[in-house]
Amino acid sequence: MRLKTYTAASMPEAMKMVRIQMGEDAVIMATKHDKKQNLFIVTAGIDDEAFATPKPATTAATSLAAPPVSTSTQPIEDHTIDAIAEALDRHGSPRRLTHHLLRNIEDSGNDPVTAMACGLQSLFSFGSLLGIEQRKPLLLIGTPGAGKTLTIAKLATKAVMQRRKVSVITCDTLKAGGVEQLSTLTRILNVPLHTVEDADGLRIAIDQAPDDALLLIDSPGINPFNMQDIDWLYHLTQAELMDTVMVQPSGIDALEAAEITAALAQKFRPQYLLITKLDMARRLGSMLASAYESRLKIVHAGMSSNVVDGLVDITPMLLARLLLHDVQQPKINLFVKESIT
């Protein structure tokens, strides 16, 4: 790979230089703001083969620094790109993801949150596990302590409040207090709970659940790098018959999170990413890395231990606010109800 560093008076100008000289295949490796000299430094890399036959550079009208201007928006300003790049770096976003997102932000004038939300919407898919179209059982998987059992309780509570039928199955018979915790919560909700210990028991419990019920399955936490653990859980759950939800605590190292998700994805092929313990984390790079590398749909986030309202839907705008929280501190109070609805 060939590396080159560009220095300019603004971040958009430095990005433009990269695109003109290295072409569309260039990957942003690092960005830096030299505050003493008020200069912006971008290090970009490109494969030698791609550099030997560069693609024609885009014009200013289609470059990252100056995207097309619609009749309803204003050109994106320097400090907006700077704020987004700084926030992504602070959260530990992988460089390839940062580069991809910066290339996809749309015109938004001087509003970093709106620009970030546009970039996130273009890069990720968002949704809910409580859509009425849901028919397959939902299997929640993850490492020990990720918060699967509490998340099951939160999902069941939200579904009951929507007047939906719910049925809960737990395969997690080894964790101390796990079955008792679910039993107490499901009894309060008047939701049936089935405890199973093998594949045959799970199959019977699934067959007995009402066809129109939201079926939630709790699984034991496993070591994602131990194939015996993975094979055991896969055999137990018959995961190919289910939609799999990756449950992951926030605040862990981004690369580690991506590797954990990728390891489990080889066998379980999860479709969804649900983040827990968001109220106890200030770095969200793990969420971005896992969703980006394994192409998962971001659904919900646990923001407190409260079973009734401790689970929120993640939208591009909410995620943008979370990522830019430090930049927009005077304007945003993320943990009040009206700011996340």
Side-chain angles (χ1 to χ4, degrees):
M1 173 173 280
R2 183 169 302 195
L3 298 177
K4 192 169 182 179
T5 299
Y6 299 85
T7 303
S10 69
M11 184 64 73
E13 186 178 346
M15 292 287 191
K16 181 179 178 181
M17 292 168 64
V18 172
R19 297 286 290 279
I20 290 175
Q21 295 189 27
M22 302 186 80
E24 297 284 349
D25 293 323
V27 176
I28 304 302
M29 306 300 293
T31 61
K32 182 180 179 181
H33 182 197
D34 186 338
K35 295 183 179 180
K36 290 184 178 180
Q37 302 184 58
N38 196 25
L39 293 175
F40 294 83
I41 305 166
V42 175
T43 301
I46 191 171
D47 291 337
D48 290 336
E49 182 178 348
F51 188 79
T53 56
K55 297 179 181 179
T58 56
T59 63
T62 59
S63 70
L64 170 66
V69 180
S70 68
T71 56
S72 60
T73 59
Q74 300 175 350
I76 195 162
E77 299 189 8
D78 294 359
H79 70 86
T80 298
I81 293 181
D82 297 343
I84 292 173
E86 179 186 345
L88 291 173
D89 181 66
R90 184 174 62 253
H91 283 278
S93 168
R95 291 170 180 171
R96 188 160 63 97
L97 189 158
T98 297
H99 171 72
H100 196 172
L101 191 144
L102 288 174
R103 291 180 60 181
N104 283 276
I105 58 177
E106 297 181 2
D107 302 345
S108 59
N110 60 359
D111 182 11
V113 173
T114 301
M116 175 79 89
C118 290
L120 293 169
Q121 178 117 36
S122 70
L123 206 58
F124 300 103
S125 58
F126 298 82
S128 172
L129 296 178
L130 301 177
I132 58 174
E133 73 282 356
Q134 181 66 48
R135 286 296 177 265
K136 287 185 179 180
L138 290 174
L139 170 66
L140 276 63
I141 65 171
T143 56
K148 297 181 297 299
T149 301
L150 182 57
T151 298
I152 290 274
K154 291 177 180 179
L155 286 170
T157 301
K158 288 176 75 73
V160 168
M161 292 174 68
Q162 295 175 1
R163 300 182 183 277
R164 294 190 58 183
K165 291 182 181 178
V166 183
S167 188
V168 177
I169 300 173
T170 179
C171 311
D172 190 5
T173 59
L174 300 178
K175 182 177 66 178
V179 174
E180 290 78 7
Q181 180 186 15
L182 263 183
S183 179
T184 300
L185 292 168
T186 53
R187 186 169 59 251
I188 293 172
L189 295 171
N190 196 26
V191 166
L193 171 65
H194 302 276
T195 302
V196 300
E197 297 183 352
D198 55 35
D200 290 338
L202 178 58
R203 193 176 300 110
I204 293 171
I206 292 175
D207 290 342
Q208 291 178 345
D211 291 338
D212 57 347
L214 174 67
L215 184 52
L216 303 170
I217 303 175
D218 192 14
S219 68
I222 59 172
N223 180 348
F225 307 116
N226 185 318
M227 286 307 301
Q228 278 190 318
D229 276 12
I230 292 176
D231 288 341
W232 173 82
L233 181 60
Y234 183 78
H235 174 73
L236 171 67
T237 59
Q238 303 294 306
E240 72 274 10
L241 304 176
M242 309 172 189
D243 284 339
T244 307
V245 183
M246 181 72 201
V247 179
Q248 190 174 89
S250 53
I252 63 178
D253 178 78
L255 294 179
E256 187 78 14
E259 290 181 1
I260 289 172
T261 304
L264 293 177
Q266 291 182 19
K267 199 75 171 181
F268 295 95
R269 298 183 180 178
Q271 295 86 25
Y272 306 105
L273 177 65
L274 191 152
I275 297 298
T276 61
K277 307 177 184 180
L278 198 60
D279 54 321
M280 295 186 286
R282 290 297 178 265
R283 299 290 183 273
L284 305 183
S286 58
M287 179 198 305
L288 300 177
S290 293
Y292 182 75
E293 297 296 340
S294 296
R295 300 295 184 264
L296 303 182
K297 178 178 287 189
I298 302 173
V299 284
H300 309 287
M303 280 188 158
S304 78
S305 59
N306 191 312
V307 174
V308 176
D309 57 9
L311 195 69
V312 300
D313 295 345
I314 291 290
T315 64
M317 185 60 74
L318 174 57
L319 184 51
R321 289 176 174 175
L322 289 166
L323 291 167
L324 288 161
H325 179 49
D326 291 343
V327 176
Q328 299 288 306
Q329 183 76 32
K331 300 179 182 179
I332 297 175
N333 183 1
L334 292 169
F335 299 102
V336 294
K337 190 170 183 180
E338 56 268 26
S339 69
I340 59 177
T341 55

